[in-house]
Amino acid sequence: MNDVNELNQCYTPLLAIEEAARCLLCNDAPCSQSCPAGTDPGKFIRSLRFRNLKGAIETIRTNNILGGVCSRVCPTEKYCQLACSRTSIDRPIEIGKLQQFLIDYEKTINFNPLKAVEITKEKIAIIGSGPSSLAASSELAKKGYNVTVFEKKEKIGGWLRYGIPSFRLGEDILDYEISLIKNLGVTFITNCEFNKDITIESLEKDGFKVILIGTGYDLGRTLPLFDNCNKVENAVDFLSRIKNSNNNLKIEDNILIIGGGDVAIDAATSAKLLGAKNVKVIARETMEEFPASEGELKNARNLKISIFDGFTPTDYSNNKVTFINNTNETITILPDKIILAIGQIASLPQDILNIKKKNIFFAGDISEGDKTVVYAVKTGKDAAEKIIEFLGGDR
Ligand SMILES: Cc1cc2nc3c(=O)[nH]c(=O)nc-3n(C[C@H](O)[C@H](O)[C@H](O)COP(=O)(O)OP(=O)(O)OC[C@H]3O[C@@H](n4cnc5c(N)ncnc54)[C@H](O)[C@@H]3O)c2cc1C
Ligand code: SF4
């Protein structure tokens, strides 16, 4: 599978500057105020407009260590581009695409505005290596803290690595941004599970002064209706298997996806791209309240994926699933495989997630707020700020 973002990426430096020239250079730029991660598009677009490409890159990179990842997966239509003042004239500035162009340019010219500092400060343990942890680790390392990230899986990145399909987020950009974090002096230990291989007590005994937990919602929800069904798989497990197989998974012909969020549409699109003949998505929500983003739905429709809205599964028998809507219409499907995409939950037990201890902090999906990459970056940055304050401020 190709990375559709790479294929869509068509900005040359001149075209990017031309797009940036449409920017109204707003005071207190609404786009910047709407970026949870504080990437500051108003500022980087201004630099780009005046042909200061390095300055633009520096703004993105210093504010958001995952600037390249975010440029590819962020639902900009809900954040910066929704707020863009240019919309009232014609259409919003293509902020996500400009950011993607700038980060690709950073790679091309081998420009790294982040300079590592000497690591002289306290030891900090970060649990999980998703976007919140990556953002927190880089903020702390930039200030000289001795950061170790512990990850239970083999590879770093959380859902960026194991969830979001590679046709939307290539591994190269993730690996590149992780390499920038490593350059800042962050240590990564993989295949190491918190609450099993390591605990709060063992980490404290090893001299870690602070523990930041960013373990995410790492398990797919199930439905009791399918407890004894051997055709069912969770969407996140399915997507992980695809990634582990290097997009070479054998797929059944008739796939039924239950759920209506981005994860459901990712699973549907992936199944279709792997060669499934018929892919149906059936969601409880009606089209007006459909959780999946417009862009993802459009791609799914282009691939001739059937989408039924407003139906809830009520029965599973004789390998058939029956759905009903609020006017008592029913649909019955006989799928070869059922993929459940009805949300995720945390695998860490509640007693740890509710722990109240001064040196323990939380970030990412397990904390309050939007469940998006850019919001995870925000919570990671916020946690880093609180940790620095807890350890006595910027010394
Ligand atoms: C299929 C899919 C598609 C998505 N698409 C988008 C999108 O397009 N745009 C968007 O903005 N958001 C998207 N999201 C949501 C986004 O990925 C999450 O909101 C974000 O990754 C959450 O970040 P996090 O920091 O909480 O960590 P997560 O990404 O959840 O990672 C948590 C990490 O902690 C590790 N971990 C868990 N328990 C332990 C333990 N006990 N010990 C050690 N490590 C542990 C896990 O293995 C994992 O690596 C998508 C999610 C999925 C599943
Ligand atoms: S809101 Fe739109 S027009 Fe205003 S500074 Fe941001 S990108 Fe430019």
Side-chain angles (χ1 to χ4, degrees):
M1 280 189 273
N2 287 313
D3 179 343
V4 285
N5 286 300
E6 305 301 340
L7 297 176
N8 288 341
Q9 173 55 42
C10 51
Y11 276 130
T12 60
L14 276 181
L15 286 176
I17 292 164
E18 211 171 275
E19 175 64 7
R22 293 175 55 241
C23 172
L24 305 174
L25 306 175
C26 312
N27 269 336
D28 295 328
C31 55
S32 296
Q33 289 174 29
S34 304
C35 174
T39 314
D40 205 349
K43 187 170 174 200
F44 77 69
I45 291 170
R46 179 185 290 260
S47 300
L48 177 59
R49 183 189 167 127
F50 295 109
R51 295 169 183 259
N52 176 6
L53 273 72
K54 283 191 170 173
I57 293 165
E58 201 166 344
T59 298
I60 300 171
R61 194 49 84 200
T62 49
N63 290 327
N64 184 351
I65 191 70
L66 294 178
V69 165
C70 281
S71 72
R72 285 156 171 85
V73 302
C74 187
T76 47
E77 75 279 7
K78 293 182 185 160
Y79 294 118
C80 56
Q81 289 185 200
L82 177 68
C84 178
S85 315
R86 181 79 208 197
T87 311
S88 60
I89 301 176
D90 45 15
R91 59 194 162 80
I93 305 296
E94 299 241 34
I95 299 172
K97 278 197 170 176
L98 290 180
Q99 187 169 318
Q100 186 178 343
F101 159 76
L102 286 162
I103 294 298
D104 287 352
Y105 192 69
E106 174 197 56
K107 265 175 83 184
T108 312
I109 61 170
N110 208 5
F111 171 60
N112 181 2
L114 298 179
K115 300 287 166 264
V117 304
E118 210 186 331
I119 303 292
T120 55
K121 296 184 183 163
E122 288 90 338
K123 280 173 81 177
I124 296 172
I126 300 189
I127 316 296
S129 65
S132 63
S133 301
L134 295 176
S137 69
S138 69
E139 291 302 303
L140 292 164
K142 281 195 271 182
K143 300 280 185 196
Y145 290 94
N146 185 349
V147 182
T148 306
V149 175
F150 298 91
E151 167 57 52
K152 74 174 174 183
K153 292 201 170 150
E154 194 191 331
K155 292 186 184 169
I156 303 163
W159 291 132
L160 306 179
R161 176 81 60 191
Y162 289 104
I164 303 179
S166 44
F167 60 82
R168 291 206 292 117
L169 179 66
E171 286 202 74
D172 53 345
I173 184 67
L174 176 59
D175 287 338
Y176 168 67
E177 295 195 321
I178 289 171
S179 75
L180 298 180
I181 300 172
K182 286 183 177 165
N183 285 344
L184 292 171
V186 175
T187 304
F188 288 90
I189 298 180
T190 54
N191 295 313
C192 180
E193 184 168 349
F194 175 68
N195 214 25
K196 192 174 148 210
D197 305 316
I198 48 167
T199 60
I200 293 176
E201 293 69 34
S202 74
L203 289 167
E204 285 176 345
K205 213 164 140 220
D206 282 346
F208 288 97
K209 298 289 178 224
V210 164
I211 300 166
L212 170 63
I213 302 179
T215 46
Y217 280 179
D218 53 334
L219 291 180
R221 272 185 205 280
T222 53
L223 271 183
L225 189 62
F226 299 106
D227 274 355
N228 298 316
C229 168
N230 59 8
K231 289 182 175 183
V232 80
E233 184 174 15
N234 231 288
V236 285
D237 296 338
F238 173 63
L239 291 165
S240 290
R241 277 202 305 128
I242 297 177
K243 287 202 125 178
N244 281 330
S245 75
N246 257 331
N247 301 318
N248 267 327
L249 208 67
K250 195 170 173 314
I251 188 89
E252 292 81 352
D253 281 345
N254 300 298
I255 307 287
L256 167 64
I257 317 272
I258 301 180
D262 283 332
V263 177
I265 303 300
D266 274 344
T269 309
S270 301
K272 195 76 189 189
L273 291 175
L274 284 171
K277 291 197 178 113
N278 302 302
V279 180
K280 292 187 174 67
V281 175
I282 305 197
R284 179 166 58 109
E285 294 86 357
T286 58
M287 259 315 147
E288 296 73 51
E289 55 192 16
F290 224 70
S293 61
E294 245 331 292
E296 285 228 53
L297 276 176
K298 201 171 141 204
N299 284 341
R301 289 202 186 95
N302 287 343
L303 287 169
K304 310 239 176 319
I305 291 167
S306 318
I307 301 174
F308 298 84
D309 62 323
F311 282 88
T312 310
T314 53
D315 184 58
Y316 175 69
S317 48
N318 301 324
N319 295 324
K320 292 181 191 156
V321 191
T322 302
F323 294 82
I324 192 161
N325 73 2
N326 60 8
T327 55
N328 287 332
E329 278 175 288
T330 59
I331 307 178
T332 299
I333 314 265
L334 176 65
D336 299 327
K337 184 180 179 67
I338 303 165
I339 296 175
L340 278 186
I342 51 167
Q344 286 89 245
I345 50 171
S347 67
L348 267 194
Q350 279 303 322
D351 59 332
I352 294 190
L353 294 173
N354 293 335
I355 214 161
K356 300 250 178 310
K357 225 174 150 213
K358 274 202 274 184
N359 64 331
I360 298 185
F361 296 79
F362 296 89
D365 278 0
I366 56 169
S367 51
E368 298 250 301
D370 297 358
K371 308 303 176 211
T372 57
V373 174
V374 74
Y375 209 85
V377 170
K378 169 203 159 50
T379 61
K381 285 176 70 177
D382 289 351
E385 216 172 275
K386 285 189 205 136
I387 290 169
I388 293 170
E389 203 182 306
F390 169 75
L391 291 172
D394 222 344
R395 285 159 282 143

